Amino acid sequence: MQKSYRKYAVFFILPTFIAFIIAFLVPFLFGIYLSFTKFTTVTNTQWVGWDNYVRAFTANRDFTHALGVTAAFTVVSVISVNLLAFGLALLLTRGIRGTNLFRTVFFMPNLIGGIVLGYIWQLMINGLLLRAGVDITYDPKYGFWGLVVLMNWQMIGYMMIIYIAGLQNLPGDVLEAAEIDGASPWQKLRHVTIPMVMPSITICTFLTLTNSFKLFDQNFALTAGAPMKKTAMLALDIYNTFYGRVGDEGVGQAKAVVFFLMVAAIAFVQLWTTRSREVEQ
Amino acid sequence: MKQKKKSWRSTLLVVFLTILAVFFLAPVFLVLMNSFKGQFYISDAPFALPDANTFVGLKNYWNGIQKVGFFSAFGYSLFITVCSVAAIVLFCAMTAWYLVRVKTRMANGLYYLFVFSMVVPFQMVMFTMSKIANLLRLDHPVGIILLYLGFGSGLSVFLYSGFIKGIPLDVEEAATIDGCRPLQTFFLVVFPILKPTAITVAILNAMWIWNDYLLPYLVIGNRYRTIPIAVQYLQGGYGSRDMGALMATLILAIIPIVVFYLACQKYIIKGVMAGAVKG
């Protein structure tokens, strides 16, 4: 059977694979090469070794600062989004009236694109800060926490949906048994519900982690890094390096490679911990 | 007695959730309200309702539509999203099926290459991809479909493969014995079975492509504005921008999403759930 299929590889694989080569494979490999060169156009390159990588960290503090902002933002939003989403999911699986309507409303922000979300929240936050006579660009704290609120608003509904799916798959008899044994609601949550929805927790942590770490559109629209690049995250800093000053393209590409390695490391660690946990079960 | 206590509690819960839902909708209503006010009254008092002085009717909408060419932006967004999603749904299904069923070393390697591409952030390839797109004359709304197919194929092939691995071979073998050629087997037998995953793939990719800003901006942004590019275009210099037109354009950008969401809610929520569980 396999042999008879093989002749048809052209039909089945080629359309996707050609697109994959053009849109991903060649840009990826060429991008790694360019990170070791100085260039302004892709045809005029000059090998400079690790110079771009050194300059990414030493020419100014933009990249390391962006790394700090990204790390802080990721930690805060992973924790807050998951806690709130899990809480909402618990409330919405009790069979109260209007559950579907609430679910619809809470999920809606997730469909709106990052650029649009950024400007919606810019209006909201600037409006609230108006009383103090300042706007979101006044202090990096405003931009940072504004972005956290925005991220929560966008992601809570999505994660809530996944948690609801996990909670609905809980076998009822286990909870009932715990109740008969005299477990308090808190004990039931701590020792029955949470261990049993662990797969959902893993998925949601992973999704919020990568989405927060790679955030660009929302950051770009809400503050664009203002004031003084103090609220720029990694993806935005890479973009600014690329398209900011002529001659820095190589540094931008080097930063992008470092960024890729960090994202890959996160994904790998996540996969590894999930695997090891699955073996235990 | 216990019954009474319970219903009291659930009423309290409904009240709490209603308040929360109002907070969730508030930002969008704020933008909607301000979209009817004159542009100079928005930043100064965003929480004030429009009154006789500040109400400008649909003027902002008219301004916004003209300034950014909203209808052509909507057209480009719709064309690019629909065509790219169709291409991804079809071609990635074919690729995934072939890679799962033909277990050569090449096929295996190719599968892992697709999976690997999921980890790579867009910033890694954005510069080189846009240059190559220029070089190959892909910098128009038709060419960009190929880029979306290529960059979106990782996740889509992965999702399809996961599903196909669970389909028993018997059906396909029976079709082959009955004289189906591989292409017929795929389109008449396999593809209909893939429908649930196809919906997930379509929803996830549609959400991404419709809202995507950077890829179309870098590749076709000078000449063709999609909706996110049109919104960003209104930004201009800080302070000099037309807040009224921005508010109106934000609302215009949200309307298609809300309509689509309310019409296909069941599929969207299911699709997102299935995608998350496998991804």
Side-chain angles (χ1 to χ4, degrees):
Chain A
M1 186 161 167
Q2 284 193 14
K3 272 187 188 154
S4 67
Y5 284 176
R6 239 176 261 174
K7 283 183 286 187
Y8 290 85
V10 182
F11 289 104
F12 284 102
I13 295 209
L14 225 50
T16 316
F17 195 53
I18 288 175
F20 185 71
I21 290 172
I22 292 173
F24 175 75
L25 209 53
V26 173
F28 178 74
L29 296 173
F30 200 40
I32 292 178
Y33 165 74
L34 284 183
S35 73
F36 293 103
T37 66
K38 189 171 167 61
F39 64 96
T40 45
T41 61
V42 282
T43 47
N44 178 19
T45 61
Q46 185 195 342
W47 187 265
V48 293
W50 293 97
D51 194 39
N52 288 330
Y53 289 89
V54 174
R55 279 178 60 201
F57 286 97
T58 56
N60 50 45
R61 302 210 44 231
D62 289 354
F63 194 59
T64 43
H65 187 267
L67 180 60
V69 175
T70 309
F73 173 78
T74 305
V75 170
V76 172
S77 53
V78 165
I79 294 171
S80 58
V81 168
N82 281 290
L83 282 180
L84 293 169
F86 189 69
L88 270 185
L90 282 177
L91 296 181
L92 286 179
T93 42
R94 297 175 144 213
I96 53 159
R97 249 179 307 144
T99 298
N100 275 334
L101 185 69
F102 288 126
R103 203 179 61 171
T104 305
V105 170
F106 295 144
F107 183 74
M108 194 249 333
N110 191 256
L111 296 170
I112 302 174
I115 296 283
V116 175
L117 283 177
Y119 288 115
I120 292 175
W121 277 92
Q122 200 183 56
L123 177 79
M124 188 86 179
I125 293 164
N126 279 341
L128 291 170
L129 291 174
L130 197 64
R131 229 167 272 170
V134 294
D135 70 4
I136 195 165
T137 61
Y138 179 76
D139 188 327
K141 258 185 265 163
Y142 299 150
F144 180 84
W145 290 104
L147 203 58
V148 170
V149 172
L150 188 162
M151 194 66 179
N152 274 277
W153 192 65
Q154 183 181 18
M155 296 287 288
I156 283 175
Y158 189 169
M159 298 308 131
M160 177 197 76
I161 295 284
I162 299 170
Y163 282 128
I164 287 177
L167 289 170
Q168 279 169 345
N169 286 337
L170 280 187
D173 48 348
V174 183
L175 282 170
E176 216 166 277
E179 203 160 329
I180 291 167
D181 288 346
S184 69
W186 171 249
Q187 282 174 321
K188 271 195 290 178
L189 179 71
R190 175 75 187 74
H191 297 291
V192 182
T193 309
I194 290 182
M196 297 207 67
V197 293
M198 216 50 207
S200 306
I201 295 175
T202 311
I203 294 160
C204 289
T205 315
F206 182 62
L207 285 174
T208 37
L209 194 66
T210 50
N211 278 328
S212 310
F213 200 80
K214 295 196 285 187
L215 199 72
F216 176 82
D217 290 3
Q218 290 84 338
N219 193 200
F220 187 55
L222 187 69
T223 61
M228 299 291 289
K229 301 180 184 172
K230 283 280 191 292
T231 57
M233 289 172 54
L234 284 172
L236 182 59
D237 181 57
I238 292 167
Y239 176 84
N240 286 337
T241 313
F242 256 118
Y243 299 100
R245 216 185 67 195
V246 177
D248 275 354
E249 290 87 349
V251 181
Q253 189 63 57
K255 286 180 178 179
V257 172
V258 175
F259 184 50
F260 151 66
L261 291 174
M262 287 191 261
V263 174
I266 291 173
F268 185 76
V269 169
Q270 178 77 21
L271 197 72
W272 183 69
T273 48
T274 319
R275 280 271 166 83
S276 59
R277 200 174 292 148
E278 271 166 13
V279 174
E280 277 168 34
Q281 280 175 351
Chain B
M1 190 62 202
K2 204 181 173 190
Q3 198 61 40
K4 214 174 189 181
K5 198 178 155 196
K6 249 190 176 168
S7 78
W8 180 77
R9 254 197 203 167
S10 82
T11 314
L12 201 72
L13 192 59
V14 171
V15 171
F16 170 72
L17 287 171
T18 310
I19 294 170
L20 205 63
V22 169
F23 273 112
F24 257 77
L25 294 174
V28 176
F29 275 112
L30 187 71
V31 174
L32 181 68
M33 188 176 90
N34 280 291
S35 71
F36 295 109
K37 296 201 293 200
Q39 55 161 314
F40 302 110
Y41 297 99
I42 293 171
S43 299
D44 292 345
F47 296 117
L49 281 165
D51 58 30
N53 271 333
T54 58
F55 184 75
V56 291
L58 292 175
K59 186 172 158 251
N60 289 329
Y61 286 87
W62 180 239
N63 269 347
I65 287 168
Q66 279 200 316
K67 270 191 186 169
V68 300
F70 186 82
F71 290 120
S72 68
F74 179 79
Y76 290 134
S77 277
L78 192 66
F79 174 79
I80 292 171
T81 307
V82 169
C83 295
S84 305
V85 168
I88 290 172
V89 164
L90 178 66
F91 291 128
C92 290
M94 294 168 74
T95 307
W97 184 63
Y98 187 88
L99 293 182
V100 172
R101 290 298 185 235
V102 179
K103 292 180 190 108
T104 58
R105 201 175 287 171
M106 268 275 278
N108 224 0
L110 210 54
Y111 171 73
Y112 282 109
L113 207 55
F114 279 119
V115 172
F116 167 75
S117 78
M118 283 196 293
V119 191
V120 178
F122 181 66
Q123 273 71 21
M124 175 67 209
V125 297
M126 69 176 175
F127 182 80
T128 38
M129 181 207 268
S130 62
K131 292 299 166 201
I132 289 167
N134 282 336
L135 210 68
L136 296 176
R137 300 264 178 276
L138 293 171
D139 46 357
H140 48 78
V142 178
I144 206 170
I145 295 167
L146 191 77
L147 299 179
Y148 274 122
L149 172 61
F151 204 70
S153 58
L155 177 68
S156 307
V157 167
F158 176 71
L159 287 173
Y160 274 127
S161 299
F163 187 78
I164 293 168
K165 278 173 194 161
I167 303 176
L169 264 173
D170 314 7
V171 191
E172 292 158 39
E173 273 166 352
T176 311
I177 291 164
D178 287 347
C180 276
R181 285 157 181 276
L183 277 175
Q184 286 173 312
T185 310
F186 178 79
F187 281 106
L188 299 176
V189 180
V190 178
F191 199 58
I193 303 176
L194 295 180
K195 199 181 148 200
T197 310
I199 291 173
T200 302
V201 169
I203 296 286
L204 290 180
N205 282 297
M207 279 165 59
W208 162 50
I209 295 169
W210 179 267
N211 290 321
D212 197 18
Y213 167 74
L214 211 44
L215 195 159
Y217 175 71
L218 293 175
V219 177
I220 58 171
N222 314 328
R223 283 176 295 155
Y224 308 96
R225 284 189 209 120
T226 59
I227 290 179
I229 300 172
V231 171
Q232 179 62 26
Y233 175 76
L234 277 175
Q235 159 76 14
Y238 202 85
S240 70
R241 67 184 182 200
D242 183 342
M243 283 297 279
L246 180 64
M247 295 302 122
T249 312
L250 291 176
I251 293 298
L252 289 174
I254 294 173
I255 289 172
I257 296 170
V258 171
V259 170
F260 179 67
Y261 177 44
L262 295 180
C264 314
Q265 206 204 123
K266 203 179 83 189
Y267 295 110
I268 292 174
I269 290 189
K270 259 192 200 155
V272 165
M273 254 189 223
V277 171
K278 283 169 205 149

